[in-house]
Amino acid sequence: MIRKVLHLPDPQLRKKSLAVAINEVKTGKYKRFICDLIETMKANDGIGLAAPQVGKLVRIVIISTKSGPLALVNPVISVRSWRKCVDEEGCLSVPGIYGDVKRNTSLKVKAISADGARIEFRARGLFARVIDHEVDHLNGVLFIDKAKNIKSAENQKKEL
Ligand code: ZN
């Protein structure tokens, strides 16, 4: 089911999301919700989506990868690279607005997979950028809080 993506200034986007209990991840309720998030991300041509963007304050994000959509439950960034880089970002919840955001070039991430398994991996480049952007959503932080050179434009890329 495609869900409605909330836009600023919806107050839900500024709240902190709550962790999901590990034994609940595999229940039908969360399985369906993760499917909804993936469908909603695809329908909006996004490359990432966080649960609070559809108004549900739980710590679940979807990241688009070369091998398909990846769901991360309770993601934690445990290590951040010293090196940072700047790239242009947009957000499905802040339509038509873009800006340059400085983020770490690589991250170490711990999370629970959609199958309820504990996973840990390293992310680099755009993959790391999307994860950092989506984890920010779980804390009520939006890219415009960090962006420089904010501009409005039509038909840009990389909405997360
Ligand atoms: Zn976003």
Side-chain angles (χ1 to χ4, degrees):
M1 184 182 89
I2 296 170
R3 301 206 178 205
K4 186 174 175 277
V5 176
L6 305 179
H7 293 169
L8 263 189
D10 194 302
Q12 295 284 86
L13 294 168
R14 291 302 193 177
K15 289 182 181 157
K16 212 171 146 78
S17 293
L18 298 171
V20 178
I22 188 161
N23 58 332
E24 279 198 83
V25 176
K26 286 203 286 181
T27 60
K29 176 180 139 191
Y30 281 105
K31 271 198 151 79
R32 274 193 301 279
F33 180 59
I34 287 171
C35 285
D36 287 358
L37 282 177
I38 291 170
E39 252 188 85
T40 305
M41 180 183 77
K42 287 180 174 170
N44 288 280
D45 286 322
I47 56 172
L49 188 69
Q53 291 183 275
V54 300
K56 203 162 158 61
L57 296 174
V58 292
R59 301 187 83 82
I60 301 177
V61 302
I62 306 297
I63 315 290
S64 173
T65 75
K66 280 175 205 154
S67 46
L70 172 71
L72 300 175
V73 178
N74 302 344
V76 173
I77 297 168
S78 55
V79 182
R80 291 176 179 273
S81 63
W82 167 83
R83 197 180 284 271
K84 292 184 175 181
C85 67
V86 174
D87 200 358
E88 187 175 72
E89 285 183 23
C91 179
L92 293 172
S93 295
V94 194
I97 303 291
Y98 300 86
D100 296 329
V101 184
K102 189 189 266 188
R103 295 196 190 267
N104 308 86
T105 55
S106 78
L107 306 171
K108 201 168 177 184
V109 182
K110 292 179 183 179
I112 299 167
S113 71
D115 303 323
R118 288 182 194 278
I119 53 169
E120 192 173 356
F121 59 92
R122 224 169 162 60
R124 293 173 206 281
L126 181 60
F127 184 40
R129 176 170 295 275
V130 179
I131 292 173
D132 200 26
H133 176 118
E134 302 310 335
V135 171
D136 276 350
H137 273 298
L138 303 182
N139 297 318
V141 174
L142 297 172
F143 85 102
I144 48 168
D145 305 342
K146 300 179 166 181
K148 288 189 173 151
N149 305 321
I150 291 177
K151 58 176 185 275
S152 55
E154 298 289 326
N155 302 319
Q156 295 272 318
K157 42 164 194 175
K158 277 189 225 155
E159 291 199 316
L160 302 92

